[in-house]
Amino acid sequence: MIVSNLWWKALTGSASLLSLLALSNVAHSQELSVDSLMDELSLPDSSRSLEQVTSVSQLSDVQPTDWAFQALQSLVERYGCIAGYPDGTFRGNNFMTRYEFAAGLNACLDQIVAIVGNGDSLDPSDLATIRRLQEEFAAELATLRGRVDGLEARTAELEANQFSTTTKLNGEAIFAVSDTFGDAIGAGEDITQTQFAYRTRLSFDASFTGRDHLRVRLQDLNIDEFRGGLTGTNMTRMGFAGNSGGVEVDNIYYRFPLGDNFQGYIAGKIGADGVPTFLGPQASSGSGTISRFGRFNPLFRLAGGTGGAIQGRFGNLGLDLGYLTGNANNPQRKNGLFNGQYGAFANLTYGLSDALDLGVSYHRSYAPGGEVNLSGSTGSSRASNPFGSDVAVSSDSVGAQFRVGLGALDFSGWFGFTWANAQNNGNGFQDGDQAEVINYSLALTAPDLGGDGNLAGLIVGVPPQATRVQRSDPALLGQEDTDTSLHIEAFYRYRLNDNIAITPGFFVITNPEHNSNNDAQWVGTIRTTFSF
């Protein structure tokens, strides 16, 4: 008739049936789920660790008001059979309920059975006391044993149906209705139709030590980009769009600790947003801004693909270092891990206070002819490739970002400047010719506007613009962007529940391609994001 607490000790390493059932009673009275109880007990907070308590008087929630207390106190102090929290409380009640008392009695019964099993004898008066206590609390003992049976059954079910002992499966699905409005560059009319498309992602997140993280993310999407033949510019691209043509491995990396302050990354494939720290709250493609340019500084898109990175954290100071290349798996000449296109970055962030964060970054990149993209496909064609398709380009860039907390609002922004150098002759340019590209943005966001998990945002900025393009031959005209485009965006993410969010939004590009001869173009979408 005595329920063993060995299964619970196996789970916690030190917890007794008393602590489990006492907390179970509290959880039951507060209409908490078993999962919530298990989460509470599994928290790493050292204050939740269980230690042996050898006196009922140490349990401050227990009041010595009747014979049962005195009897149990005698048994506990004689046989040392109650385990409680180090602060001497069960937490959750200001007194010991009958159920908690019964749990303590059950713990003593377990201890006494162990003593008898070892051949030791008991005082006959103790046996009489135990018999009386069992009779007094028979109903409570039966109820608590039923709860233990339920917990054992639930635990067995979870173990039998868990996905993996080391891996969690996370998913995201996006449905989007989108369209553009305004004449496409060179077409003289709006040539896009309203599209309904999707993006799905499944992430397998594994940990082998509790401090490392292996991620493998699969992706399938069919959201055609608003660019090229549809709008004539990359400035109209959305942040979550793309067409994979089937399921692909979109992300695969392994993160591991390097001492107490650093983490290392080995990346088979990782995006521009995989390592750096961004200070604006709108960076997520699935739940942040709707545009590609509005997510984060395009300078960070100069690095992506395969390579390695290091993150360091020293209190409020953060350091991100990375080297990534797009053709590491290609062993041919002018490719591979170190002899092809690459991007390297150093990103430093510092939190001066809860309301003020600052960051600076440096970026170094190289791309052979035909692979140059200095704007991360967010700016004008001249800003992306100022020297033409036949010229290799190296570049040095500096960036800055900030966030200011204004109570219910966040004010954030960034600035980026790039010096590009031609690495060979071609297209009327010579080795050593230079170009300069600039971009900047300001954002006003309101987290939790209208409810927890919501996010409203207003973004105004200038997409990457070629402000200077030098030609060695003075007879050839320069190729600078002579006018200035503005990116103006508004969105509102409304969270229906923990798993579903709807984000209507739009953005307008004035003078697309930094050319005042081009009509403004509008992009609108309603994005529904399912997270699971």
Side-chain angles (χ1 to χ4, degrees), residues 476-493:
L476 299 175
L477 298 176
Q479 301 257 323
E480 296 86 359
D481 291 321
T482 55
D483 301 310
T484 299
S485 301
L486 283 179
H487 174 107
I488 304 171
E489 178 175 359
F491 67 92
Y492 180 63
R493 182 186 73 213

Side-chain angles (χ1 to χ4, degrees), residues 255-273:
R255 186 182 69 209
F256 53 93
L258 295 171
D260 294 332
N261 300 106
F262 290 93
Q263 293 188 102
Y265 284 76
I266 299 176
K269 186 175 185 181
I270 196 169
D273 56 347

